[in-house]
Amino acid sequence: MIKFYKPTFLVFVILLVTALVAQGQTKRFVDVGAASGANDGSSWENAYMDLHMAIAGSQDGDSIFVRKGVYTLTNPVTMKNGVKIYGSFAGTESSLSQRVFGNTTADSTVLDGAGSLQTIILNNAADAPMGRDAVLDGFVITGAAFYKAGAFVYDGGAAILLRFASPTLQNLIIRKNFSDLDGAGIYMEEYSSPSLTNVIISGNRAKRHAGAIFMRVESRPVLTNVLMSGNCASGGFGGAMMIDSRYNIADVGSKPIFTNVTITGNYSKNDGGGVYVRGSNTIPQFRNSIILNNTSDKGASQSGVSYKADSKAANEAAQPYNYCLIQGADLTGDPIYASGTNISSNGVTAEQVFVDPVAATLNDSTVRGNFRLKSGNNPAINAGHSPYYDGSQNLDLTHIKTDLAGGARIAKASVDLGAYEFQNQLPVASEVGFSGNLVVESKLSGSFEWNDNDAGDMESMSIYAWYRADDASGTNAVAITGATSIDYVLQAEDQDKYVAFEVKPGDGEGHGSPVRSAFAKVEAKIIPPTAKNVSITGTLKAGETLSGIYDWEDSDAGDTDMGSTYAWYRAGDETGLGMVAI
């Protein structure tokens, strides 16, 4: 009996597990425009037209690919544990690695709440929380709205609501959403600790607190490469964020970690133009981050990060800023000026730091502005702490290799501050040419115009080369050995060949693309003929005819005496004293 049932049971278990694994790796496709397909999600051709249907049919381990386009929602989206939802596909890809995510509205999958609907609601139970294996990646969330109505257990979350939910949120743009209370962009509470990477939260407005993110009740999110700009808390605290405890119970605070986050151009009616912190156990940590050019009606001292009295002591002891540029914070010893590893904000302007800073006002939350780092005398460049990304710190960020725009996260000697790494714009050469006589043994001099869009950069360490070819089109062109300066003396090998000058423009930090001049033909060196044994014949007497004679020599074979010019001179004696041409 035992020998009979035991192997049968093992076979059943193995088959069951295999079936579950296979079932758990299903890939489903969604395309709002796939009207002619089977609408079963099995391929792009037969894609679901409704994202909700794809989620309903998915389970732990499944992934959902959503094509670019505008999806106007009639019901909020509810994610599932272990289900990964990826947007912004062109509609031909079979794997995530083939997706080209443009990070713009026009090049993305847009979830539109149409001004009346919460977009993403993850309202989980305490005994069934959502984990990081639930993924939302590659979407624009806009037009969402939260309105207080009837009985409710939370106070906001127009674009994304998280309760007992800690999903992975990445490659998102959360813009132009509205909350009648708090957290127009993201509202999280009840031990929600999502991971936010490469996220833009801009132009959102909360009627009370936190235009971008409201968090409380032991929320511990990890935010990396995040931009919060142009958000507005029109009636309360924290233009971008409010970091809170549990319904004013001070000892149940939130502890988010911000690395390379930019918070700028936000507005609040009350304290905390950028961020407002409340609760004795609410201790945010900011690393490699910029909080600059936010405004509050309470004045400059409350424009950056404001702390309610009950939170100050714990935050002062925790040293919440490391390698940051913070403007307008109200902690004792806060780095309004240089303190420890932080950068002095004294005299620093948003125009000095950002390419095109634009700020929100009471009546204008905004998505305008360009918050990439500006070239030149920018204190945020190379001012960060690179080891945050090498695995040696208490938070592993080794998987993050790029900045918010997709450029290298560490582009130079050290990581920069803020969501964007300054990517050196390489110089460009134009009008490349050369001057000089195109004959052997003559010197040629290369010339070019140097251009660089980075303010303050100068031409430095450009690389030069000279090329020799068989004809004017550059056939069989090769670099001339040793010809690496801006000048070149033509050699015998260049005779009857064609030469060109090439420059790879440099700015001391990198080189632009090489640009080559046109090829031009090199002629042989012209060796003039010589005259020897010059003398005169005839009778040296007035009225007599004299004739000049000479021997003509030329090293060029085949040349003949042609076009020689003659002159006669008169002098006072045989030494030529006072000689003049007759």
Side-chain angles (χ1 to χ4, degrees), residues 56-75:
S58 298
Q59 61 183 6
D60 193 344
D62 289 357
S63 58
I64 300 172
F65 286 9
V66 187
R67 190 174 182 177
K68 298 174 184 179
V70 178
Y71 294 72
T72 302
L73 302 177
T74 56
N75 292 293

Side-chain angles (χ1 to χ4, degrees), residues 272 296 298-307 327-331 336:
S296 164
K298 296 295 184 178
S301 66
Q302 301 297 321
S303 64
V305 185
S306 297
Y307 295 82
Q327 191 176 69
D330 66 352
L331 285 183
I336 300 173

